Amino acid sequence: MTGAPITNSSLEAMKSGGERIACLTCYDAAFASVLEGAGVEVLLVGDSLGMVLQGQRTTVSVTLDHMVYHSACVSRVARRALVMADMPFLSYATEDRALAAAERLMGEGGAAMVKLEGGGELARTVARLTRFGAPVCAHLGLLPQSIHQLGSYRYQGKDDAGAARIRDDALALQDAGASLLVLECVPASLAGELAAELTIPVIGIGAGARCDGQVLVLHDMLGLLSGKAPRFSKDFLAEPGAGPLSVSAAVRRYVDAVKSGGFPGAEHTLA
Ligand code: KIV
């Protein structure tokens, strides 16, 4: 992979230049080089690895050790893509715990950014992390780590009150210093408004095509998981009419579709 390494400021420049950002989850070295070679700009070492790799029902059991291990596997081979690591469940419940978790994810794991789930209540934590040199990606909308409170994985921000809460949270987190925002499973209209209002890039998953970039769980977009795929995902390895594709070609199709605005389509989106 050639080109200067992707940083949080190059992601901001992509947003201002109108270039959409392609992000995928990635948990190991082999996929890291395939994804990077296919043009993926952000490799998210997501705690979805608990479900995808470990066969757990939720992400709650993922530990900091797991995240450090997989982040190191990915960052060891990534040369250009920005490696972002999820802070696992409750590892950022206090500011001190968050600093300690970021120290390990960035120091031992080699991540260049950490991601945490939650709203304005985390603003001070985000400010503290960024003040000490740890770039932060916020995550709003559906928060998988809160599944035991939510009861089910469902779209968020569908009514006026829910949408206003997400908007207030997004502004508070941006003001606190977040560099990036992942918006998961919210109506496309809300995500589009937020992407236009915020100065930081908004990466959507189940949030429509008007975001500044897209992320999917790698194993979903390669059709590797048994059971029903989420409505917002697409199997890029099984493109009708494309014939047999390599993993690398499928990922390139994803990157092209994100860049052109062809993915997600209306069928993947809640208006
Ligand atoms: O853990 C993960 O894979 C994520 C994505 C769903 C955004 O956080």
Side-chain angles (χ1 to χ4, degrees):
M1 188 80 219
T2 53
I6 303 287
T7 63
N8 51 357
S9 16
S10 39
L11 295 176
E12 256 187 65
M14 286 174 75
K15 174 177 175 123
S16 356
E19 183 183 351
R20 294 187 184 87
I21 299 162
C23 174
L24 281 174
T25 67
C26 184
Y27 318 107
D28 66 34
F31 273 115
S33 47
V34 170
L35 267 49
E36 190 174 65
V40 175
E41 281 117 0
V42 180
L43 303 178
L44 167 61
V45 187
D47 61 356
S48 50
L49 67 84
M51 300 164 85
V52 171
L53 301 187
Q54 300 173 339
Q56 303 283 6
R57 283 180 197 283
T58 74
T59 58
V60 168
S61 57
V62 174
T63 66
L64 188 56
D65 282 342
H66 296 153
M67 293 308 303
V68 169
Y69 173 83
H70 287 281
S71 300
C73 293
V74 171
S75 62
R76 228 167 261 141
V77 300
R79 293 286 168 268
R80 178 170 185 256
L82 183 144
V83 177
M84 169 160 88
D86 260 335
M87 301 184 98
F89 181 60
L90 290 186
S91 66
Y92 47 95
T94 66
E95 291 173 38
D96 288 344
R97 291 195 68 185
L99 283 178
E103 179 183 10
R104 291 202 58 208
L105 290 167
M106 297 180 70
E108 292 170 54
M113 189 178 290
V114 293
K115 176 163 87 57
L116 40 73
E117 297 182 9
E121 71 282 1
L122 291 173
R124 280 171 56 107
T125 304
V126 170
R128 189 124 183 250
L129 285 165
T130 52
R131 198 174 325 124
F132 284 105
V136 176
C137 174
H139 182 149
L140 291 171
L142 173 61
L143 307 180
Q145 291 177 5
S146 302
I147 184 61
H148 293 305
Q149 213 155 33
L150 292 169
S152 64
Y153 296 104
R154 58 177 187 275
Y155 276 76
Q156 304 291 311
K158 285 175 20 181
D159 59 14
D160 288 349
R165 218 173 12 251
I166 290 174
R167 181 177 175 275
D168 290 348
D169 282 339
L171 289 170
L173 292 162
Q174 173 177 269
D175 287 349
S179 303
L180 211 57
L181 171 64
V182 164
L183 263 185
E184 179 166 356
C185 291
V186 300
S189 49
L190 172 62
E193 282 166 21
L194 280 176
E197 185 172 0
L198 296 177
T199 54
I200 59 173
V202 174
I203 309 293
I205 173 164
R210 283 164 56 208
C211 296
D212 303 304
Q214 300 292 329
V215 58
L216 283 178
V217 170
L218 175 65
H219 293 56
D220 279 339
M221 62 78 68
L222 294 176
L224 294 178
L225 300 176
S226 54
K228 203 162 165 273
R231 161 204 180 137
F232 55 75
S233 196
K234 173 175 169 175
D235 180 351
F236 282 83
L237 203 50
E239 282 269 350
L245 286 181
S246 65
V247 168
S248 166
V251 175
R252 234 174 282 123
R253 276 179 172 254
Y254 166 75
V255 172
D256 290 346
V258 169
K259 298 275 175 201
S260 68
F263 177 80
E267 68 279 26
H268 309 114
T269 301
L270 182 74

